[in-house]
Amino acid sequence: MTRIAADTVIDGRYQVIEHIGTGGMAEVYCAYDIQLERKVALKLLHDRFARDEEFVERFRREASSAAGLQHQQVVSVYDRGESDGAPYIAMEYVDGRTLKQLVRDLGPLDPALAIDLTVQILRAARFAHRRGVIHRDFKPQNVIVDAEGRAKVTDFGIARAGASDMTQTGSIMGTAQYLSPEQAQGHAVNARSDLYSIGVILYELLTGTVPFDAESAVTVALKQVSETPVPPRERNPAVPPELEAIVLHALEKDPADRFADADEFIAALQAAASRIPSEAAIAAAEAAAASLPPVVMRPIPPPRAADTGVLLPVEPYQREPTTVAPLAPPPRRPAKRWPWVLLAALAGIVLIIVIVKAVVPSRASVPNVVGSSISVATQRLRSDGFDVSIVRDNSDKPRNTVVGQNPVGGSSVDEGSTVTLNVSDGPRITEVPNVVGLGRRAARRTLTDAGFEVKERRVASDTVKADRVLAQTPSGNSQAAQGQTVTLDVSSGPAQGIVPGVVGKTEAEARTALEAAGFRVTVVEKEDPKATPGTVLAQNPADGATAARGGIVTITVAVEPTEVDVPNVVGATQNKATETLSGAGLKVVVEETQVDSPDTDGVVQAQTPGEGTTVDRGSTVTITVGVFDPDLNPDPTTTTPPTTTATTPVVP
């Protein structure tokens, strides 16, 4: 696609300011919305994709998916349209850098900052997952961070509730470095696939690099499936052990071994963050150290033995200068005292070991109890020597189910440490919004924003417009648990029926058949000289079509033409001419004229009006018929002038 020049107006509304990026499917521009007077990010599909119906549908699905996700951590979609055959989407403009740019500029981030940004991403994922939308392409390039540290997720372009989405060539959508193992294999994906990708993002924020990389996307995908990632602490020793355990837990190959959902991931990160010293605490400690009086360190020369001149070992620095007297050579100790010295040394070592064990507690591995009931989790932790602290909160998980723990399962901690369990108190009970009478999209948005799942049933209605809500269960203004499914009865319009075929029937027969099937009838007349008047020539909808009962079926009925062309009957017998003219809807008047040959006796000699003349139906045509009388012409050599006789009208 040729870059669009600045100041170009797209679709009569969006004035291009500058080009700001290129994606896999589209070019992105910063533009000015002339109508609403604000900046927007305008994404236009590449030319090579705009001609592909599948890609155009994928692009449209981006708008549909993202438009329903109104959240502070999600880039809003404002509008969609088409410009010169290229579909576009107008989105919220976020002035900032992508996470990818942030890591390239700063390198590995401080663990506390990495946790904060990841938690913001997880909140966006949680919001989408609760609405049945899987992002499928989480990566640092799709996260924008503004100047105040707020992260927003964009590009829900291949998000779709459902199974794995493959291109026609079989290549997997998404960036290989951030694909989950199941997505790399083309298997079905779910919310835990997104959590894996977010785990890769956290790994990169902490280490400055991705877990797996190679020259080709296929090689990277194979590594995602089969290789174990290098622990983050080996690449950045500043990563706390507890945070490393969280990252590796998110990067488990089997989705069942990862965090159960975004809530559990968030709880683990927040617990780890609470044990990372803040920048303020570090600054306070440095300030306190700076306020202590300085220690004067003065070097002194090491003393010499008076008799040998050998330098004796002493501390190289002392707080105050001291005078060192010459040392006499040490007296010789009796050899018989060495066993006691050895025994005392051994006793000292034993004492040190006892003191260390008394002061330094043993380490133990924390069992993973997420998903267990509170009673089972508490019993297991206490049997392993841990204390247990319970924190309750509402969750879509069953009541008394452990949804998170701190420290996370597999962490190495001091024996006897306290493990905090986040326990579900069940979904929050709230009022169900009343959406009867709303359009189906507005109703769905209202319910999902209130925390409910939505299911639709199509119900025929003769009184309520299609796509309007007829009823809901549970009813509006009742109390229900958040996360519960609200079933909407949505009007599909009048009931459908099969249109019977009536072509060839009389108008009366057609009307009877259609009305019996539940349809109304409208008649259109058409002149057709070849059809029997009153016969149905055509119908709309056609025979066998499905249409709303109560709808109109139009039938076309043949009628006689009001004008006819006079046929040529000269040379025909009187009877044949009369038949032809009468069949055309004309009246016939016969006049006779004498002829001199028996061959022309009874044959039409002339007609008025003549052939091809257009006249009103029922008009009169006069034909002149020859009459041969041999008695009036005894001498065949003598020609007798023709004599016209009286006219005789013929009634058709």
Side-chain angles (χ1 to χ4, degrees), residues 449-471:
D449 288 347
F452 295 96
E453 300 293 328
V454 180
K455 178 182 177 182
E456 293 182 7
R457 294 184 303 195
R458 287 287 180 171
V459 179
S461 173
D462 295 331
T463 58
V464 178
K465 290 175 59 177
D467 291 329
R468 295 244 169 221
V469 177
L470 296 166

Side-chain angles (χ1 to χ4, degrees), residues 206-278:
L206 293 169
T207 66
T209 183
V210 291
F212 306 110
D213 205 358
E215 292 183 358
S216 72
V218 173
T219 304
V220 175
L222 291 174
K223 289 184 176 183
Q224 299 280 19
V225 173
S226 59
E227 292 191 9
T228 301
V230 176
R233 284 170 55 80
E234 292 187 18
R235 294 182 170 176
N236 181 9
V239 177
E242 183 178 352
L243 186 53
E244 178 182 75
I246 292 172
V247 175
L248 296 178
H249 186 49
L251 298 182
E252 290 285 354
K253 303 298 183 188
D254 188 344
D257 294 334
R258 300 174 201 150
F259 291 105
D261 53 28
D263 277 324
E264 186 179 328
F265 201 162
I266 291 172
L269 288 175
Q270 290 177 335
S274 67
R275 282 181 285 278
I276 296 176
S278 66

Side-chain angles (χ1 to χ4, degrees), residues 164-317:
S164 178
D165 192 10
M166 306 285 287
T167 65
Q168 289 182 341
T169 60
S171 60
I172 306 169
M173 299 300 297
T175 304
Q177 286 88 347
Y178 305 92
L179 291 181
S180 65
E182 60 271 20
Q183 193 174 1
Q185 298 176 86
H187 296 163
V189 301
N190 56 26
R192 292 190 180 188
S193 303
D194 277 353
L195 299 186
Y196 181 95
S197 301
I198 296 173
V200 177
I201 293 175
L202 177 57
Y203 187 106
E204 185 172 4
L205 296 181
L206 293 169
T207 66
T209 183
V210 291
F212 306 110
D213 205 358
E215 292 183 358
S216 72
V218 173
T219 304
V220 175
L222 291 174
K223 289 184 176 183
Q224 299 280 19
V225 173
S226 59
E227 292 191 9
T228 301
V230 176
R233 284 170 55 80
E234 292 187 18
R235 294 182 170 176
N236 181 9
V239 177
E242 183 178 352
L243 186 53
E244 178 182 75
I246 292 172
V247 175
L248 296 178
H249 186 49
L251 298 182
E252 290 285 354
K253 303 298 183 188
D254 188 344
D257 294 334
R258 300 174 201 150
F259 291 105
D261 53 28
D263 277 324
E264 186 179 328
F265 201 162
I266 291 172
L269 288 175
Q270 290 177 335
S274 67
R275 282 181 285 278
I276 296 176
S278 66
E279 294 182 3
I282 294 173
E286 292 176 347
S291 66
L292 294 175
V295 177
V296 179
M297 308 295 285
R298 297 191 179 97
I300 60 172
R304 292 180 179 273
D307 57 343
T308 64
V310 177
L311 292 175
L312 299 179
V314 298
E315 292 183 356
Y317 292 92

Side-chain angles (χ1 to χ4, degrees), residues 297-452:
M297 308 295 285
R298 297 191 179 97
I300 60 172
R304 292 180 179 273
D307 57 343
T308 64
V310 177
L311 292 175
L312 299 179
V314 298
E315 292 183 356
Y317 292 92
Q318 296 183 2
R319 293 181 180 273
E320 295 294 337
T322 57
T323 302
V324 181
L327 298 179
R332 296 180 178 273
R333 296 183 178 179
K336 64 180 180 179
R337 297 184 61 186
W338 71 265
W340 298 104
V341 174
L342 179 60
L343 183 62
L346 291 174
I349 292 173
V350 172
L351 179 61
I352 290 172
I353 292 173
V354 171
I355 293 173
V356 169
K357 284 194 172 185
V359 174
V360 180
S362 300
R363 306 286 287 180
S365 179
V366 179
N368 182 14
V369 295
V370 172
S372 305
S373 66
I374 185 174
S375 57
V376 172
T378 301
Q379 180 179 0
R380 182 178 177 187
L381 288 168
R382 287 176 176 166
S383 66
D384 286 357
F386 296 98
D387 290 334
V388 178
S389 174
I390 305 297
V391 176
R392 287 187 172 273
D393 198 2
N394 293 110
S395 166
D396 55 359
K397 297 293 187 292
R399 180 177 169 79
N400 291 328
T401 300
V402 178
V403 297
Q405 68 178 83
N406 179 38
V408 296
S411 300
S412 179
V413 299
D414 296 338
E415 284 186 348
S417 297
T418 297
V419 178
T420 301
L421 300 181
N422 298 94
V423 179
S424 172
D425 225 358
R428 181 178 288 106
I429 303 300
T430 187
E431 183 175 275
V432 180
N434 183 6
V435 296
V436 173
L438 295 180
R440 56 180 293 272
R441 291 186 178 179
R444 177 180 286 274
R445 183 167 55 250
T446 299
L447 290 168
T448 53
D449 288 347
F452 295 96

Side-chain angles (χ1 to χ4, degrees), residues 556-628:
T556 302
V557 178
V559 295
E560 293 181 339
T562 58
E563 293 183 339
V564 296
D565 292 332
V566 177
N568 179 27
V569 294
V570 173
T573 64
Q574 177 179 338
N575 290 341
K576 184 63 177 177
T578 301
E579 180 183 348
T580 301
L581 293 170
S582 298
L586 299 169
K587 297 177 182 180
V588 180
V589 173
V590 178
E591 294 181 348
E592 295 181 345
T593 183
Q594 288 186 358
V595 293
D596 57 358
S597 172
D599 294 337
T600 56
D601 184 50
V603 176
V604 177
Q605 303 300 305
Q607 69 178 72
T608 303
E611 174 190 1
T613 304
T614 301
V615 298
D616 292 337
R617 176 177 288 276
S619 297
T620 299
V621 176
T622 301
I623 59 175
T624 302
V625 179
V627 178
F628 175 73

